[in-house]
């Protein structure tokens, strides 16, 4: 089943310097150098005001990256994040270190790894299944494996939403990321009019180096956040180039992604 | 239209919870109808409740080469891996499949966050800096998966699923998909969640913790008791007729509220119906439902409405959270193993701690343990964020 092609119908990326869609397309095609431009303030426009007010930066990052993706009522969602919301961990642990230990109820219900999944289901009225996972530094690969397995077995469209934010000050020395990065891919079992490219994936032993970004200026983004490891795949899809990409995976393994034209 | 799945055999399993270290203690409690919950304190906790503590976790030490994974959650995992002959069974599976072809799919909600909580309580008096810690090996959600892979010597596909209280139920669906699509040939599924101040004080801030023993489905139910648990299963394809199989799973999202279930149980209903479809079964084929049954007023109300819409008013069901507490990210595997033990030992476990029947709930629970031969049982797990999962096990 693994040699079957899975079709990619939409791609969205958010990272400093990669927010402007037209400009980032030129960067992914290798026509323009990447340079860091601070992210604009993200507002979850599809959520009711009451819910939107309760969202954190991490939840907004995950919601923002899927805004431009055409989801349907039949799309299930795979959320992949190494750390989830460390801003909340920081705030809750600070509260727990005081005598009164007053934890905010809103912070606590937002602290679950699947908080972005809950908010997306509410904003888009999606009753389809969603899953929220982590695999440490190899979270992008794990998310892609789960997404492909879902497309192959459940036969519905799958939206992969991979995201990790920067770490709050007190925890930064223990888990540092250079930039916030979020990548969204919409996968389907069959080819459609909006199909950008197709992929097939297999897990193999670590025999050679992981594939770097074709645009070398993007290497700092790839190396500065676990989700950045997905960028060579994004580049390949934008360049519409037949390619073999090796993405790091757990246990000294590589994920081999074959990217094909359609 | 959902197609029936190919059943997966449970060929090994292990369970640690407040009832004891090993499946036999849970079986005994299911037969005897008693609780493992105690009025007890956890360090730095200053309110009253009952807890489902696993006291033995204190004495556990991780393997020398894996010592950097040390945290309460991974110690609890090691207790389970060392119990019920599980390690030996996995060794046999490695001989059969190879270490690269056995996937690992685990659930947790808070992982090793207790280490981070402790760091914030022990800042350097002068600089205010936190003491040194290795967050990727303790606090990170995937710590459990990487510890278990290393401890068992496995290097196939693996992931940690964290969808609050449905985490270690949803691992079954992911494991099935990975086996079916060819990423692995067999899978370890499981879940581990350990007591920590984040969940104790967090649920307390939402006024969802009972200071009394928890009473699922009771008229006077007023909240959960938090418990801790670790459980694992080995799943593989098999054509044998003997044994217990995963025969169905169903997942859904409420799309309603971030921490309250849909009042009519719509999300739960969709998960249960979808599980029945993947098992190729009708509602009337199910002999027993192990409820999510947390003992919060809203969960039990919502779940009973969802149950009624799928099964009508007559279905044998009970919550076992009165025995083990709500083990959060480990609740899925804890109760999946309880369902397996129900099938193996022909027991419908009692819904313990029930003092007064809530006649507002349209579906009633069994108050005494019943010995009955069972063919198909369902387990419900629902989590914050409206994440629902129902599983079906058959023999």
């Amino acid at each position: 089943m693994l040699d079957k092609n899975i079709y990619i119908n939409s791609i969205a990326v958010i990272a400093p310097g990669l927010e402007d869609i037209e400009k980032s397309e030129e960067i992914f095609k290798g026509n323009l150098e990447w340079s860091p431009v601070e992210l604009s303030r993200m507002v979850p426009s599809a959520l009711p005001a009451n819910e939107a007010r309760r969202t954190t930066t991490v939840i907004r990052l995950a919601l923002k990256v899927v805004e431009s993706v055409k989801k349907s009522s039949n799309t299930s969602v795979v959320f992949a994040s190494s750390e989830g919301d460390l801003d909340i961990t920081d705030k809750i642990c600070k509260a727990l270190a005081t005598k009164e230990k007053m934890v905010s109820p809103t912070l606590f219900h937002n602290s679950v790894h699947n908080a972005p999944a809950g908010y997306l289901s509410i904003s888009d009225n999606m009753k389809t299944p969603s899953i929220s996972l982590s695999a440490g530094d190899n979270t992008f690969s794990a998310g892609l494996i789960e997404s492909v397995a879902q497309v192959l077995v459940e036969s519905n469209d799958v939206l992969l939403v991979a995201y990790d934010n920067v770490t709050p000050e007190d925890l930064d020395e223990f888990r540092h990321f250079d930039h916030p990065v979020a990548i969204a891919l919409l996968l389907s079992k069959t080819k459609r009019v909006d199909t950008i490219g197709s992929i097939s994936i297999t897990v193999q032993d670590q025999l050679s180096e992981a594939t770097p970004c074709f645009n070398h200026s993007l290497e700092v983004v790839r190396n500065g956040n676990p989700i950045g490891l997905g960028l060579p795949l994004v580049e390949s899809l934008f360049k519409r180039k037949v390619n073999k990409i090796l993405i790091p995976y757990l246990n000294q393994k590589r994920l081999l992604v074959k990217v094909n034209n359609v | 239209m959902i197609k029936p799945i190919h059943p997966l055999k449970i060929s090994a399993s292990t369970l640690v919870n407040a009832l004891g270290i090993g499946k036999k203690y849970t079986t005994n409690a299911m037969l005897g109808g008693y609780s493992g919950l105690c009025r007890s304190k956890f360090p730095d906790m200053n309110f009253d409740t009952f807890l489902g503590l696993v006291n033995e976790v204190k004495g556990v030490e991780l393997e020398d080469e894996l010592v950097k994974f040390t945290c309460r959650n991974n110690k609890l995992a090691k207790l389970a891996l060392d119990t019920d002959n599980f390690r030996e069974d996995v060794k046999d599976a490695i001989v059969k499949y190879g270490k690269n072809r056995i996937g690992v799919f685990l659930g947790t909600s808070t992982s090793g966050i207790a280490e981070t909580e402790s760091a914030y309580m022990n800042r350097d008096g002068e600089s205010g800096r936190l003491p040194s810690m290795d967050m990727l090996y303790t606090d990170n959600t995937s710590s459990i998966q990487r510890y278990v892979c290393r401890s068992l010597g496995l290097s196939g596909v693996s992931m940690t699923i964290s969808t609050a209280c449905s985490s270690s139920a949803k691992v079954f669906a992911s494991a099935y998909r990975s086996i079916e699509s060819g990423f692995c040939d067999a899978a370890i599924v499981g879940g581990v969640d350990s007591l920590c101040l984040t969940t104790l004080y967090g649920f307390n801030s939402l006024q969802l913790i009972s200071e009394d023993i928890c009473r699922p489905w009771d008229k006077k139910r007023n909240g959960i008791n938090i418990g801790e648990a670790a459980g694992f299963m080995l799943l593989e394809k098999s054509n044998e007729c003997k044994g217990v199989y995963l025969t169905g799973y169903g997942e859904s999202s409420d799309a309603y509220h971030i921490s309250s279930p849909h009042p009519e149980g719509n999300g739960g209903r969709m998960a249960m119906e979808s599980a029945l479809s993947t098992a190729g079964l009708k509602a009337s084929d199910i002999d027993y439902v192990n409820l999510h049954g947390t003992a919060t007023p809203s969960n039990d109300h919502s779940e009973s409405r969802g149950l009624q819409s799928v099964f009508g008013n007559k279905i044998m069901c009970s919550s076992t959270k009165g025995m083990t507490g709500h083990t959060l990210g480990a609740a899925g595997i804890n109760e999946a193993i309880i369902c397996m033990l129900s099938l193996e030992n022909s027991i419908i476990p009692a819904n313990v701690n029930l003092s007064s029947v809530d006649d507002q709930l349209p579906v009633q629970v069994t108050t005494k343990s019943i010995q009955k031969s069972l063919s198909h049982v369902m387990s419900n797990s629902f989590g914050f964020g409206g994440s629902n999962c129902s599983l079906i096990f058959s023999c």
Side-chain angles (χ1 to χ4, degrees):
Chain A
M1 223 169 171
L2 287 181
D3 51 354
K4 277 211 173 140
N5 275 325
I6 300 293
Y7 296 90
I8 311 264
N9 308 301
S10 193
I11 313 169
V13 178
I14 291 185
L18 293 173
E19 229 182 331
D20 180 293
I21 292 171
E22 283 168 21
K23 200 174 140 197
S24 42
E25 197 166 333
E26 290 307 306
I27 295 171
F28 292 133
K29 285 178 176 167
N31 302 332
L32 204 62
E33 290 279 289
W34 174 83
S35 59
V37 180
E38 205 177 316
L39 285 180
S40 55
R41 210 173 97 80
M42 291 174 281
V43 184
S45 53
L47 269 177
N50 257 343
E51 301 287 350
R53 217 174 21 245
R54 297 196 184 109
T55 55
T56 63
T57 309
V58 169
I59 295 166
R60 290 172 183 211
L61 175 66
L63 294 183
K64 181 76 185 170
V65 77
V66 300
E67 242 172 38
S68 63
V69 177
K70 289 184 217 84
K71 304 167 282 289
S72 77
S73 60
N74 195 28
T75 307
S76 58
V77 194
V78 175
F79 287 87
S81 175
S82 171
E83 292 297 334
D85 208 324
L86 285 179
D87 285 334
I88 294 185
T89 303
D90 177 58
K91 285 177 182 154
I92 288 181
C93 288
K94 275 182 178 145
L96 292 173
T98 64
K99 188 164 168 284
E100 298 74 22
K101 303 194 194 310
M102 294 285 283
V103 172
S104 141
T106 304
L107 270 187
F108 180 63
H109 77 217
N110 279 345
S111 74
V112 293
H113 203 66
N114 61 317
Y119 284 102
L120 181 69
S121 72
I122 293 167
S123 75
D124 288 52
N125 194 30
M126 290 171 80
K127 293 176 178 160
T128 44
S130 72
I131 199 164
S132 302
L133 60 84
S134 168
D137 285 338
N138 304 105
T139 294
F140 184 83
S141 295
L144 193 59
I145 288 172
E146 170 68 18
S147 302
V148 167
Q150 281 200 17
V151 171
L152 289 171
V153 176
E154 315 286 1
S155 301
N156 49 268
D157 288 8
V158 174
L159 172 59
L160 169 63
V161 190
Y163 61 95
D164 262 303
N165 193 19
V166 290
T167 311
E169 193 183 343
D170 275 343
L171 294 174
D172 193 61
E173 66 174 300
F174 309 112
R175 190 82 175 121
H176 171 81
F177 301 146
D178 291 341
H179 317 95
V181 179
I183 298 176
L185 299 172
L186 183 65
L187 297 83
S188 69
K189 200 168 187 173
T190 50
K191 191 182 164 185
R192 301 201 300 230
V193 284
D194 55 352
T195 293
I196 299 163
S198 73
I199 59 167
S200 62
I201 67 173
T202 45
V203 178
Q204 55 173 237
D205 285 331
Q206 180 181 330
L207 298 172
S208 45
E209 287 298 305
T211 311
C213 283
F214 303 99
N215 184 336
H216 286 291
S217 65
L218 279 171
E219 277 291 274
V220 287
V221 189
R222 185 177 76 97
N223 293 318
N225 182 306
I227 306 308
L229 296 178
L231 287 176
L233 170 60
V234 170
E235 285 181 301
S236 270
L237 289 163
F238 269 108
K239 288 162 84 91
R240 299 185 181 249
K241 197 176 155 203
V242 176
N243 229 323
K244 284 183 183 175
I245 297 162
L246 290 169
I247 306 179
Y249 188 48
L250 293 155
N251 304 322
Q252 284 84 51
K253 293 280 192 298
R254 297 274 186 248
L255 195 62
L256 171 66
V257 185
K258 288 184 192 160
V259 183
N260 303 307
N261 276 328
V262 289
Chain B
M1 186 62 199
I2 299 169
K3 280 185 293 190
I5 65 166
H6 301 115
L8 290 176
K9 185 177 179 180
I10 303 167
S11 42
S13 59
T14 172
L15 180 62
V16 165
N17 58 27
L19 294 165
I21 311 303
K23 291 177 287 188
K24 68 179 176 196
Y25 296 97
T26 296
T27 309
N28 290 344
M30 290 163 67
L31 281 165
Y34 56 84
S35 175
L37 297 168
C38 292
R39 183 175 290 286
S40 41
K41 284 282 184 194
F42 193 66
D44 296 304
M45 180 184 132
N46 61 10
F47 59 88
D48 277 340
T49 181
F50 280 66
L51 296 174
L53 271 168
V54 178
N55 289 310
E56 292 81 349
V57 76
K58 279 186 208 141
V60 177
E61 286 185 15
L62 300 191
E63 300 89 330
D64 287 346
E65 67 279 17
L66 301 177
V67 77
K68 61 184 170 183
F69 284 100
T70 299
C71 59
R72 188 178 181 90
N73 215 52
N74 291 336
K75 285 183 186 178
L76 195 58
K78 183 165 189 288
L79 256 186
L81 295 177
D82 289 339
T83 303
D84 287 326
N85 204 46
F86 194 72
R87 252 179 220 287
E88 298 308 311
D89 290 333
V90 173
K91 277 183 193 158
D92 292 344
I94 292 173
V95 172
K96 188 169 167 190
Y97 297 106
K99 62 181 182 164
N100 290 334
R101 295 297 299 169
I102 303 173
V104 173
F105 304 84
L106 303 180
T108 187
S109 70
T110 48
S111 191
I113 201 168
E115 295 296 310
T116 312
E117 293 169 357
S118 163
Y120 275 71
M121 290 178 192
N122 293 289
R123 283 180 191 269
D124 183 84
E126 276 178 30
S127 68
R129 276 181 61 185
L130 298 174
S132 180
M133 58 179 163
D134 202 337
M135 288 184 77
L136 185 58
Y137 288 87
T138 55
D139 181 287
N140 188 275
T141 299
S142 73
S143 162
I144 181 66
Q145 149 210 350
R146 290 177 292 121
Y147 168 68
V148 168
C149 283
R150 296 274 301 274
S151 183
L152 293 176
L154 296 173
S155 48
V157 290
S158 65
M159 60 187 68
T160 306
I161 291 160
S162 188
T163 54
C165 304
S166 63
S167 303
S168 60
K170 287 174 78 77
V171 295
F172 286 87
S174 286
Y176 176 78
R177 290 189 280 258
S178 264
I179 291 174
E180 193 67 13
S181 53
F183 284 110
C184 54
D185 297 321
I188 307 290
V189 291
V192 188
D193 244 349
S194 45
L195 286 172
C196 61
L197 295 175
T198 299
T199 47
L200 286 165
Y201 277 91
F203 279 107
N204 204 37
S205 78
L206 290 166
Q207 298 180 307
L208 292 176
I209 289 196
S210 176
E211 60 180 42
D212 187 10
I213 196 162
C214 72
R215 302 181 187 284
W217 242 250
D218 194 285
K219 189 187 267 178
K220 293 180 187 147
R221 68 186 182 276
N222 62 358
I224 66 171
N225 294 155
I226 299 183
E228 53 191 351
F232 300 98
M233 283 181 180
L234 170 65
L235 299 178
E236 53 188 323
K237 292 177 187 172
S238 171
N239 294 321
E240 277 178 51
C241 292
K242 282 199 314 198
V244 177
Y245 287 76
L246 170 76
T247 51
Y249 63 82
E251 303 168 276
S252 75
S253 303
D254 272 6
Y256 173 71
H257 188 271
I258 202 77
S259 58
S260 304
H262 189 282
E264 295 303 313
N266 285 356
R269 173 182 54 77
M270 283 189 289
M272 289 185 263
E273 285 174 348
S274 164
L276 287 169
S277 300
T278 58
L281 294 173
K282 303 185 296 292
S284 58
D285 294 324
I286 299 295
D287 298 311
Y288 164 67
V289 179
N290 186 287
L291 302 165
H292 187 52
T294 59
T296 65
S298 62
N299 174 81
D300 295 3
H301 171 85
S302 160
E303 188 174 9
S304 70
R305 301 300 288 260
L307 274 175
Q308 186 190 29
S309 64
V310 178
F311 294 101
N313 297 351
K314 293 239 181 299
I315 175 75
M316 287 283 218
C317 57
S318 65
S319 164
T320 45
K321 287 193 170 67
M323 296 178 182
T324 65
H326 188 352
T327 60
L328 308 177
I333 191 71
N334 185 38
E335 289 153 30
I337 292 176
I338 288 174
C339 283
M340 180 196 81
L341 296 172
S342 283
L343 289 162
E344 285 178 349
N345 299 286
S346 305
I347 323 169
I348 291 181
N351 189 97
V352 298
N353 313 336
L354 194 81
S355 61
S356 53
V357 171
D358 183 353
D359 46 27
Q360 298 296 304
L361 299 179
V363 179
Q364 291 302 325
V365 289
T366 55
T367 53
K368 286 208 172 78
S369 296
I370 299 167
Q371 289 263 230
K372 185 175 185 276
S373 168
L374 306 167
S375 300
H376 306 288
V377 303
M378 179 184 275
S379 177
N380 282 344
S381 298
F382 308 142
F384 273 11
S387 174
N388 310 304
C389 186
S390 295
L391 302 172
I392 297 177
F393 297 96
S394 307
C395 68

